[in-house]
Amino acid sequence: GRAFGFMPDHGQNGIEIITQYVAKPGSDEIVVSTVPFDEKLPLLGFASYVLTYNYEANNGDTGRLTYVWHGVNASAAAKKRAFEEGLVDSKDGLLVQTNQGHEPRHFYKIFKGKLLTSFTALPVTAQLFRIRGTVESDVHASEVAADSSSLASSDAFALHSGKSHKIYIWNGLGASAFEKQAAVDRFSDYWDDVELEQVEEGAEPDEFWEELNGEGQYDRSLGDDGAPLLESRLFHCLLSSGGLLKVEEVAQYEQEDLDSDDIMLLDAGDEIYLWVGYGVSEEENAKLLDMAKLYIHLEPTARSFDTVSIIRVPQGKEPRVFKRMFPNWDDNYWQ
């Protein structure tokens, strides 16, 4: 579920560089490489990435935003290093930690509809990518298990053959025109000698199903119901002198419930905001993720630490989407 989706602007600005963190096989050493940002650069599931974006909303809101993205197979050491460096990099700006397959829509938009996330760099078997979006600018291709059960009638898919440089573009009955077009645009230059074949749902050749372990059951619903809108909830995060963490809910919360000496947790469903007051100590700041983990562990929904985005918001730098979750907001309240 979600309250308001995280969307500080329309993702219209550019990004200069992106940094990748990968663990060296068989060791704790992390290989860090920074490259010029390219919207078509695939994000790989065995790595973590850090990128910084300057947002400019229509209402005049501006600020700096650092994304830390973790691949599904990234090592704990790579994730830790990426988050620590992202925290330093974000300084007094926003910091968003997000996970492969569960990114906020804004993340897709800064890639201008060209994002591709995959599990591996060099495929050795068949690969299946789901291409979906709500508009052209947030379409993204994300790798899913190469099995017929991963298909869904509401989207377009690209299937890389495990045997040749052939890519099938499978058009689900409910896929939009821009999803189908994005699939062709994104995969037509995947290899120099790529061979694209368009396949309509219901008219698949046998070879198509062979690559996906045979024809099977999959989601044939055409609509996307979306997550239900949830009421946002506010919690006070306290660190005792013995280092114990405590999370207490603030009922019918207002802006004045935000305590400048502490960290406050605002649960917005798919996204969890950690608001950091001016007076928060280094020790508390270092335990940000532990607070989020403890909260998710105690909270009785199906979410896990790997399916929600964690957003750090320093006091005085609140984006409009955060302010909107309060009954009233006064920008001069702490002056």
Side-chain angles (χ1 to χ4, degrees), residues 24-61:
K24 251 193 179 163
S27 84
D28 283 342
E29 192 189 333
I30 304 297
V31 180
V32 181
S33 42
T34 299
V35 294
F37 180 77
D38 175 357
E39 284 138 9
K40 279 194 164 182
L41 180 88
L43 300 187
L44 305 171
F46 54 77
S48 286
Y49 294 83
V50 173
L51 55 86
T52 296
Y53 175 84
N54 292 312
Y55 65 88
E56 286 178 76
N58 293 343
N59 65 348
D61 243 10

Coordinates of all heavy atoms in Angstrom, one line a residue, residues 24-61:
K24 N 34.2 -8.2 -4.3 CA 35.1 -9.2 -5.0 C 34.7 -10.6 -4.6 O 34.6 -10.9 -3.4 CB 36.5 -8.9 -4.7 CG 37.3 -8.2 -5.8 CD 38.8 -8.2 -5.5 CE 39.5 -7.6 -6.7 NZ 40.9 -7.2 -6.3
P25 N 34.6 -11.5 -5.6 CA 34.2 -12.9 -5.2 C 35.2 -13.5 -4.2 O 36.4 -13.3 -4.3 CB 34.3 -13.6 -6.5 CG 34.1 -12.6 -7.6 CD 34.7 -11.3 -7.0
G26 N 34.6 -14.0 -3.1 CA 35.4 -14.7 -2.1 C 36.1 -13.8 -1.2 O 37.0 -14.3 -0.4
S27 N 35.8 -12.5 -1.2 CA 36.5 -11.6 -0.2 C 35.5 -10.5 0.2 O 34.5 -10.4 -0.3 CB 37.7 -11.0 -0.8 OG 37.4 -9.9 -1.6
D28 N 35.9 -9.8 1.2 CA 35.1 -8.7 1.7 C 35.5 -7.4 1.0 O 34.9 -6.3 1.3 CB 35.3 -8.5 3.2 CG 34.5 -9.5 4.0 OD1 33.6 -10.1 3.4 OD2 34.8 -9.8 5.2
E29 N 36.4 -7.4 0.1 CA 36.9 -6.2 -0.6 C 35.7 -5.7 -1.5 O 35.1 -6.5 -2.2 CB 38.1 -6.5 -1.4 CG 38.8 -5.2 -1.9 CD 39.9 -5.5 -2.9 OE1 40.5 -6.6 -2.8 OE2 40.2 -4.7 -3.8
I30 N 35.5 -4.4 -1.5 CA 34.5 -3.8 -2.4 C 35.1 -3.1 -3.5 O 36.0 -2.2 -3.3 CB 33.5 -2.9 -1.6 CG1 32.9 -3.6 -0.3 CG2 32.4 -2.3 -2.5 CD1 32.0 -4.8 -0.7
V31 N 34.8 -3.4 -4.7 CA 35.3 -2.7 -5.9 C 34.3 -1.5 -6.2 O 33.1 -1.8 -6.4 CB 35.4 -3.6 -7.1 CG1 35.9 -2.8 -8.3 CG2 36.3 -4.8 -6.8
V32 N 34.8 -0.3 -6.1 CA 34.0 0.9 -6.3 C 34.4 1.5 -7.7 O 35.6 1.8 -7.9 CB 34.2 1.9 -5.2 CG1 33.3 3.1 -5.4 CG2 33.9 1.3 -3.8
S33 N 33.4 1.7 -8.6 CA 33.7 2.4 -9.8 C 32.7 3.4 -10.1 O 31.5 3.2 -10.0 CB 33.8 1.4 -11.0 OG 32.8 0.4 -10.9
T34 N 33.2 4.6 -10.5 CA 32.3 5.7 -10.8 C 32.4 6.0 -12.3 O 33.5 6.1 -12.9 CB 32.7 7.0 -10.0 OG1 32.5 6.7 -8.6 CG2 31.8 8.2 -10.4
V35 N 31.2 6.1 -13.0 CA 31.2 6.3 -14.4 C 30.2 7.4 -14.8 O 29.3 7.7 -14.0 CB 30.8 5.0 -15.2 CG1 31.8 3.9 -15.0 CG2 29.4 4.5 -14.7
P36 N 30.4 8.0 -16.0 CA 29.4 9.0 -16.4 C 28.0 8.4 -16.5 O 27.9 7.2 -16.9 CB 29.9 9.5 -17.8 CG 31.3 9.1 -17.8 CD 31.4 7.8 -17.0
F37 N 27.0 9.1 -16.0 CA 25.6 8.5 -16.0 C 25.1 8.4 -17.5 O 25.2 9.3 -18.3 CB 24.7 9.4 -15.2 CG 23.3 8.9 -15.1 CD1 23.0 7.9 -14.3 CD2 22.3 9.5 -15.9 CE1 21.7 7.4 -14.2 CE2 21.0 9.0 -15.8 CZ 20.7 8.0 -15.0
D38 N 24.5 7.3 -17.7 CA 23.8 7.1 -19.0 C 22.5 6.4 -18.7 O 22.4 5.4 -18.0 CB 24.7 6.2 -19.9 CG 24.0 5.8 -21.2 OD1 22.9 6.2 -21.5 OD2 24.7 5.1 -22.1
E39 N 21.4 7.0 -19.2 CA 20.0 6.5 -18.9 C 19.9 5.0 -19.3 O 19.1 4.3 -18.8 CB 19.0 7.3 -19.6 CG 18.7 8.6 -18.9 CD 18.5 9.8 -19.9 OE1 18.4 9.6 -21.1 OE2 18.5 10.9 -19.4
K40 N 20.7 4.6 -20.3 CA 20.6 3.2 -20.8 C 21.5 2.2 -20.0 O 21.6 1.0 -20.3 CB 20.9 3.1 -22.3 CG 19.7 3.5 -23.1 CD 19.9 3.1 -24.6 CE 18.6 3.1 -25.4 NZ 18.8 2.6 -26.7
L41 N 22.3 2.8 -19.1 CA 23.2 1.9 -18.3 C 22.4 0.9 -17.5 O 21.6 1.3 -16.6 CB 24.0 2.8 -17.4 CG 25.0 2.1 -16.5 CD1 26.4 1.9 -17.2 CD2 25.3 2.8 -15.2
P42 N 22.6 -0.4 -17.7 CA 21.8 -1.4 -16.9 C 22.2 -1.4 -15.5 O 23.4 -1.3 -15.2 CB 22.0 -2.7 -17.6 CG 23.2 -2.5 -18.4 CD 23.5 -1.1 -18.7
L43 N 21.3 -1.5 -14.5 CA 21.7 -1.7 -13.1 C 21.7 -3.2 -12.9 O 20.7 -3.9 -13.2 CB 20.7 -1.0 -12.2 CG 20.6 0.6 -12.4 CD1 19.7 1.2 -11.3 CD2 21.9 1.2 -12.4
L44 N 22.8 -3.7 -12.3 CA 23.0 -5.1 -12.2 C 22.7 -5.6 -10.8 O 23.1 -5.0 -9.8 CB 24.4 -5.5 -12.6 CG 24.8 -5.0 -14.0 CD1 26.3 -5.2 -14.3 CD2 24.0 -5.7 -15.1
G45 N 22.0 -6.8 -10.7 CA 21.5 -7.3 -9.4 C 22.5 -7.7 -8.4 O 22.2 -7.9 -7.3
F46 N 23.8 -7.9 -8.8 CA 24.8 -8.3 -7.9 C 25.5 -7.0 -7.3 O 26.5 -7.2 -6.6 CB 25.9 -9.2 -8.5 CG 26.5 -8.7 -9.8 CD1 27.5 -7.7 -9.7 CD2 26.1 -9.1 -11.0 CE1 28.0 -7.2 -10.9 CE2 26.6 -8.7 -12.2 CZ 27.6 -7.7 -12.1
A47 N 25.1 -5.8 -7.6 CA 25.8 -4.6 -7.2 C 24.8 -3.7 -6.4 O 23.6 -3.8 -6.5 CB 26.3 -3.9 -8.4
S48 N 25.4 -2.7 -5.8 CA 24.7 -1.5 -5.3 C 25.1 -0.3 -6.0 O 26.3 -0.3 -6.5 CB 24.9 -1.3 -3.8 OG 24.3 -2.3 -3.0
Y49 N 24.3 0.7 -6.1 CA 24.6 1.9 -6.9 C 24.3 3.2 -6.0 O 23.3 3.1 -5.3 CB 23.9 2.0 -8.2 CG 24.3 0.9 -9.2 CD1 23.7 -0.3 -9.1 CD2 25.2 1.2 -10.2 CE1 24.1 -1.3 -10.0 CE2 25.6 0.2 -11.1 CZ 25.0 -1.1 -11.0 OH 25.4 -2.0 -11.9
V50 N 25.0 4.3 -6.2 CA 24.7 5.5 -5.6 C 24.7 6.6 -6.7 O 25.6 6.7 -7.5 CB 25.7 5.9 -4.5 CG1 25.4 7.3 -4.0 CG2 25.6 4.9 -3.3
L51 N 23.6 7.4 -6.8 CA 23.5 8.5 -7.7 C 22.8 9.7 -7.0 O 22.0 9.5 -6.2 CB 22.8 8.1 -9.0 CG 21.4 7.5 -8.9 CD1 20.4 8.6 -9.0 CD2 21.2 6.6 -10.1
T52 N 23.2 10.9 -7.5 CA 22.7 12.1 -6.9 C 21.9 12.9 -7.9 O 22.4 13.0 -9.0 CB 23.8 12.9 -6.2 OG1 24.4 12.2 -5.2 CG2 23.3 14.2 -5.6
Y53 N 20.8 13.4 -7.5 CA 19.9 14.1 -8.4 C 19.4 15.4 -7.7 O 19.2 15.4 -6.5 CB 18.6 13.2 -8.7 CG 17.6 13.9 -9.5 CD1 17.6 13.9 -10.9 CD2 16.5 14.5 -8.9 CE1 16.6 14.5 -11.6 CE2 15.5 15.1 -9.6 CZ 15.6 15.1 -11.0 OH 14.6 15.7 -11.8
N54 N 19.4 16.5 -8.5 CA 18.9 17.8 -8.0 C 17.5 18.0 -8.4 O 17.2 18.1 -9.6 CB 19.8 18.9 -8.4 CG 21.2 18.8 -7.8 OD1 21.3 18.7 -6.6 ND2 22.2 18.9 -8.6
Y55 N 16.6 18.0 -7.4 CA 15.2 18.1 -7.9 C 14.7 19.6 -7.8 O 15.2 20.4 -7.1 CB 14.3 17.3 -7.0 CG 14.2 17.6 -5.5 CD1 13.2 18.5 -5.0 CD2 15.0 17.0 -4.6 CE1 13.2 18.8 -3.7 CE2 15.0 17.3 -3.2 CZ 14.0 18.2 -2.8 OH 13.9 18.6 -1.5
E56 N 13.7 19.9 -8.7 CA 13.1 21.2 -8.8 C 11.7 21.0 -9.1 O 11.3 20.7 -10.2 CB 13.7 22.0 -10.1 CG 15.1 22.5 -9.9 CD 15.6 23.2 -11.2 OE1 15.1 24.3 -11.5 OE2 16.3 22.5 -12.0
A57 N 10.8 21.2 -8.1 CA 9.4 21.0 -8.2 C 8.8 22.3 -8.8 O 9.3 23.4 -8.7 CB 8.8 20.7 -6.9
N58 N 7.5 22.1 -9.3 CA 6.8 23.3 -9.9 C 6.5 24.4 -8.9 O 6.4 25.5 -9.2 CB 5.5 22.8 -10.5 CG 5.7 22.0 -11.7 OD1 6.8 21.9 -12.3 ND2 4.7 21.2 -12.1
N59 N 6.4 23.9 -7.6 CA 6.0 24.9 -6.5 C 7.3 25.7 -6.0 O 7.2 26.4 -5.0 CB 5.3 24.2 -5.4 CG 6.3 23.2 -4.7 OD1 7.4 22.9 -5.2 ND2 5.9 22.7 -3.5
G60 N 8.4 25.4 -6.7 CA 9.6 26.2 -6.2 C 10.5 25.4 -5.3 O 11.6 25.8 -4.9
D61 N 10.0 24.2 -4.8 CA 10.8 23.3 -4.0 C 12.1 22.9 -4.7 O 12.0 22.3 -5.8 CB 10.0 22.1 -3.7 CG 9.7 21.9 -2.2 OD1 9.9 22.8 -1.5 OD2 9.2 20.8 -1.9

